Amino acid sequence: MSVRTRFAPSPTGSLHIGGVRTALFSWLYARRYGGEYILRIEDTDRERSTEAAVDVILEAFDWLDLKPDEGPFFQSRRLERYREVADGMIQAGTAYHCYCTPEELAEMRAQQTARGEKPRYAGRCRGRTEPRPGVTPAVRFRNPDAGQVVVDDLVHGRVVFENAELDDLVIMRSDGTPTYNFGVVVDDADMRITHVIRGDDHLNNTPKQINLFRALGYETPHFAHIPMIAGPDGAKLSKRHGAVSALEYRELGYLPDAVLNYLARLGWSHGDQEIFSRDELTRLFDLGSVQRSAARFDLEKLNWLNQHYIKETPGPKLAAQLGPHLKAVGVVEAPAERVEAVANAFRDRSKTLREMAEKARVYLSDDVKYEQKAVQKQLQAAAAPLLRAVRDGLAGLESWSEAGAQGVVDGVAAAAGVGLGKVAQPLRVALTGDVASPGIGVTLWLVGRDRAIARIERAIEITRSQ
């Protein structure tokens, strides 16, 4: 049988980065074994599910290039199918109508708690045959009273659950919508899912679902429950640790391949290898190498990986990816070749595209913000004649190039009998507002002749006020 995996998010908010890792593992496993990966949107929670959240999920997978082979499918469009299956279960005696009201159920749980018992449905309607006037019933699954459910989990190994500890769970609410456990089972069976890969917070749902599969006569899929992602402090990863939404990482300037590489290594390993291409991940990934304990999110490691991918990305592609971040920092329009030149200049100096855009802004716009300490130290009166000489030399260049601009600066330093830094540092402040930049020839070339001369003249005026 061909491997078929699925990712089934609920569209009730942003797509959590942990959900992306689950989707990635499902995608990789299907690719590894030549199977199919399905996307299913579990949107039966009418109050919380939104179209906007669906759009966010699809946008995130488009950005990450984790497109499904089938789908997206929507549970909200399959309500008749769930009702059909539930009706069949009632006729078969594996499910029954429950007329208990919310108040009666609350009282039942309170009495059980007072007696020191585990709160659960007491089976009050199990043998009921007559309707209850004025009450629209829910549908409950008749869970086996005895025996065990054994889960041979592909990550956690053998896990045993006692049926006596399980409940007659509601499978259809009184409003005609399926509950999570029921909808999942019907969908996984209808979509021929062979491997269910999900977070280990779902492990306790698995015996309930296995019993439903058996009651319906469906083949039970293989289960793999992967560990949750923890923050640096060991607690569940949340907003207090930083960004948790997949698209937040796009806005922060992380590359898709870096994010996927990092998430693949978060709880899975292949020897000591850290950097994987997509082809390598597809060829090497297996569930047997997924660890059982929670993996801790390490932002510094993600930054290291992202910088690696920035360095390895071809110039035109890097410039295209940088474009939205330039707009975010105020660079509305810039020639593609100039953007590529700046991206190449800063690829070794930037951990994220947002950081690169911040550094590139001064080269692609007229907005220069001067650091006061740099101005006070470098734009003293003694710098004025050096800056004037550079300005005149740049104006006289026949063609504008990195080598030509560097030659002018070298010539001014030699003529003045000073070290290169005595010219280059005031010039850097004049051009960029600070003392950090690429080589001075590159910096001049990137700024451009007209902007460079205008900024040098402005710096000369500053030296007079100093």
Side-chain angles (χ1 to χ4, degrees):
M1 181 180 294
S2 175
V3 167
R4 287 174 63 86
T5 66
R6 50 75 162 177
F7 178 61
S10 298
T12 56
S14 59
L15 179 61
H16 193 279
I17 197 70
V20 174
R21 186 188 62 160
T22 301
L24 173 63
F25 282 13
S26 297
W27 186 87
L28 288 174
Y29 194 79
R31 291 290 177 274
R32 166 78 186 272
Y33 293 100
E36 294 87 32
Y37 161 72
I38 290 90
L39 176 62
R40 184 172 73 226
I41 306 296
E42 299 188 340
D43 59 344
T44 56
D45 186 336
R46 294 171 176 174
E47 292 185 359
R48 299 176 61 215
S49 297
T50 66
E51 286 293 328
V54 173
D55 291 341
V56 166
I57 292 169
L58 299 179
E59 185 179 353
F61 286 133
D62 185 61
W63 171 58
L64 294 165
D65 196 18
L66 281 183
K67 299 180 183 68
D69 299 301
E70 295 179 19
F73 300 104
F74 294 84
Q75 284 190 329
S76 60
R77 301 173 189 175
R78 289 173 46 81
L79 297 182
E80 287 302 319
R81 173 59 177 158
Y82 305 129
R83 292 168 187 148
E84 174 190 354
V85 175
D87 289 343
M89 292 181 70
I90 292 171
Q91 293 174 12
T94 55
Y96 58 92
H97 286 120
C98 177
Y99 293 88
C100 296
T101 65
E103 294 76 17
E104 290 170 338
L105 293 172
E107 182 183 357
M108 186 185 302
R109 288 191 293 269
Q111 291 174 353
Q112 290 169 334
T113 301
R115 294 193 297 266
E117 300 172 359
K118 179 182 177 181
R120 53 178 299 175
Y121 184 65
R124 183 177 296 173
C125 292
R126 261 194 168 203
R128 188 184 186 107
T129 58
E130 295 297 321
R132 184 175 178 180
V135 178
T136 303
V139 179
R140 286 187 182 272
F141 170 54
R142 194 184 299 272
N143 193 75
D145 296 317
Q148 296 177 328
V149 183
V150 177
V151 181
D152 289 315
D153 193 83
L154 296 176
V155 174
H156 291 272
R158 181 183 173 89
V159 186
V160 179
F161 297 86
E162 299 292 334
N163 274 320
E165 295 296 315
L166 303 179
D167 206 352
D168 280 6
L169 68 150
V170 172
I171 59 173
M172 292 291 287
R173 303 180 185 93
S174 58
D175 65 1
T177 60
T179 58
Y180 165 75
N181 284 301
F182 184 57
V184 161
V185 168
V186 176
D187 289 343
D188 285 345
D190 286 354
M191 297 175 188
R192 308 186 315 282
I193 302 302
T194 63
H195 293 75
V196 174
I197 301 170
R198 58 189 179 190
D200 59 9
D201 56 329
H202 285 290
L203 183 56
N204 287 333
N205 286 320
T206 304
K208 306 170 189 176
Q209 293 173 15
I210 289 177
N211 280 338
L212 281 167
F213 275 109
R214 291 172 177 169
L216 288 164
Y218 297 152
E219 185 172 351
T220 303
H222 300 284
F223 291 93
H225 292 88
I226 60 178
M228 304 296 287
I229 300 176
D233 58 359
K236 183 179 178 181
L237 187 67
S238 64
K239 289 184 178 180
R240 66 187 179 87
H241 296 113
V244 295
S245 162
L247 289 181
E248 280 185 272
Y249 286 90
R250 182 185 65 178
E251 305 310 314
L252 291 170
Y254 291 93
L255 298 178
D257 285 341
V259 172
L260 293 184
N261 189 156
Y262 179 71
L263 290 177
R265 281 287 289 112
L266 205 57
W268 172 82
S269 63
H270 180 74
D272 295 327
Q273 186 172 344
E274 293 289 350
I275 297 172
F276 296 84
S277 67
R278 290 192 187 223
D279 287 343
E280 286 178 308
L281 287 173
T282 300
R283 179 167 47 85
L284 298 172
F285 179 81
D286 211 345
L287 292 168
S289 298
V290 175
Q291 67 186 38
R292 297 184 182 184
S293 57
R296 297 198 181 194
F297 197 92
D298 183 348
L299 186 60
E300 285 305 310
K301 189 171 181 180
L302 174 58
N303 287 338
W304 173 78
L305 271 173
N306 201 56
Q307 189 164 38
H308 165 80
Y309 281 95
I310 285 175
K311 290 178 182 178
E312 296 297 314
T313 302
K317 182 178 180 181
L318 186 63
Q321 292 172 320
L322 181 62
H325 299 279
L326 288 172
K327 290 181 180 179
V329 299
V331 180
V332 178
E333 188 175 352
E337 65 275 11
R338 298 269 299 136
V339 174
E340 184 177 343
V342 171
N344 286 329
F346 285 98
R347 63 167 69 241
D348 291 335
R349 297 165 173 261
S350 306
K351 294 179 181 178
T352 68
L353 293 178
R354 179 54 57 89
E355 181 184 359
M356 181 183 286
E358 291 284 359
K359 292 176 177 178
R361 177 183 52 79
V362 73
Y363 300 90
L364 299 172
S365 73
D366 293 320
D367 183 19
V368 183
K369 297 177 181 177
Y370 289 92
E371 290 294 327
Q372 204 57 39
K373 288 184 179 180
V375 169
Q376 291 172 353
K377 183 176 181 180
Q378 299 297 338
L379 297 187
Q380 296 293 325
L386 300 173
L387 292 173
R388 279 194 290 269
V390 171
R391 176 198 62 191
D392 295 342
L394 296 176
L397 281 176
E398 290 186 8
S399 62
W400 188 252
S401 68
E402 176 187 337
Q406 182 70 53
V408 168
V409 179
D410 291 341
V412 169
V418 298
L420 181 62
K422 291 291 184 180
V423 181
Q425 287 302 81
L427 186 54
R428 277 195 174 89
V429 176
L431 296 171
T432 70
D434 207 348
V435 293
S437 79
I440 195 62
V442 175
T443 299
L444 281 162
W445 176 65
L446 291 174
V447 169
R449 188 199 305 258
D450 293 342
R451 278 196 178 117
I453 291 173
R455 290 177 187 181
I456 291 170
E457 289 178 345
R458 180 180 177 186
I460 292 169
E461 290 298 320
I462 293 174
T463 64
R464 290 172 182 162
S465 66
Q466 292 282 71

